[in-house]
């Protein structure tokens, strides 16, 4: 019997409890791997987590291997979070997948210009969400090799 490899932590930056819970349910039901999840509810918390400041200064969390980022967050929005991640020497290699309801071409272009590694639209129904999450996990955790030891 072969043990499953340890998977890097997925940081989900999502202010909606409903969206996060739906994502988590689908992730656990439709995937045959266990991906460690961590959640930040707004951009300010995400920056504190990533830069180990504020409430995370004492805890010193390990950097995630992948970030799923909503754009429309209270406080510091996802666009600014993405910009700060990709401008930091230590964090810029962490892949960032924007997962949002915005299909605005200006948002899509701005995110890729800022260094986003992927841009996914949040589906509005459960069936489409299951398909999107399965594709997300298969691509980022099965097909790709994520950075480690940041």
């Amino acid at each position: 019997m072969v043990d499953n490899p340890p998977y890097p932590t997925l940081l989900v930056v999502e202010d909606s409890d409903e969206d996060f819970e739906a994502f988590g349910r689908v992730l656990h039901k439709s995937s045959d791997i266990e991906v460690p999840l961590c959640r930040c509810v707004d951009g300010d918390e995400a920056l504190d987590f990533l830069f180990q400041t504020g409430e995370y200064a004492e805890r010193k969390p390990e950097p995630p291997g992948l970030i799923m980022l909503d754009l429309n967050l209270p406080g510091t929005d996802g666009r600014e979070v993405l910009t700060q991640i990709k401008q930091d020497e230590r964090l810029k290699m962490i892949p960032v997948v924007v997962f949002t309801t915005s299909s605005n071409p200006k948002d899509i272009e701005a995110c890729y210009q800022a260094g986003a590694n992927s841009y996914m639209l949040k589906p509005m129904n459960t069936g489409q969400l299951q398909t999107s999450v399965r594709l997300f996990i298969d691509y980022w955790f099965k097909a790709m090799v994520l950075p480690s030891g940041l």
Side-chain angles (χ1 to χ4, degrees):
M1 181 177 203
V2 177
D3 290 334
N4 285 335
Y7 292 99
T9 298
L10 169 61
L11 173 61
V12 179
V13 185
E14 173 59 65
D15 62 316
S16 166
D17 291 338
E18 184 178 295
D19 286 355
F20 178 74
E21 288 171 16
F23 175 79
R25 274 193 311 273
V26 171
L27 174 69
H28 295 297
K29 282 183 183 177
S30 58
S31 179
D32 59 346
I33 64 172
E34 289 189 34
V35 175
L37 276 183
C38 188
R39 178 189 182 198
C40 292
V41 296
D42 59 36
D44 296 316
E45 182 185 3
L47 292 172
D48 281 348
F49 179 92
L50 292 165
F51 289 100
Q52 299 177 339
T53 58
E55 68 180 271
Y56 295 97
E58 296 295 319
R59 293 193 245 172
K60 301 285 187 205
E62 288 292 318
L66 180 65
I67 300 169
M68 177 179 270
L69 178 65
D70 188 14
L71 282 187
N72 301 310
L73 298 167
T76 303
D77 75 359
R79 295 157 192 83
E80 180 60 25
V81 172
L82 174 64
T83 298
Q84 288 194 38
I85 291 168
K86 294 303 181 179
Q87 289 178 349
D88 183 84
E89 284 302 312
R90 186 178 66 91
L91 301 175
K92 70 182 180 182
M93 70 186 313
I94 301 172
V96 177
V97 176
V98 174
F99 193 59
T100 184
T101 56
S102 174
S103 60
N104 184 329
K106 289 181 181 179
D107 282 337
I108 297 167
E109 185 174 328
C111 286
Y112 280 117
Q113 286 286 336
N117 299 89
S118 254
Y119 193 101
M120 293 178 68
L121 294 177
K122 279 185 194 175
M124 292 297 125
N125 73 50
T126 305
Q128 290 174 332
L129 180 63
Q130 287 175 342
T131 299
S132 292
V133 170
R134 198 172 304 116
L135 289 169
F136 171 83
I137 294 300
D138 286 348
Y139 181 79
W140 286 105
F141 288 92
K142 292 182 179 179
M144 296 296 103
V145 176
L146 293 170
S148 63
L150 299 174

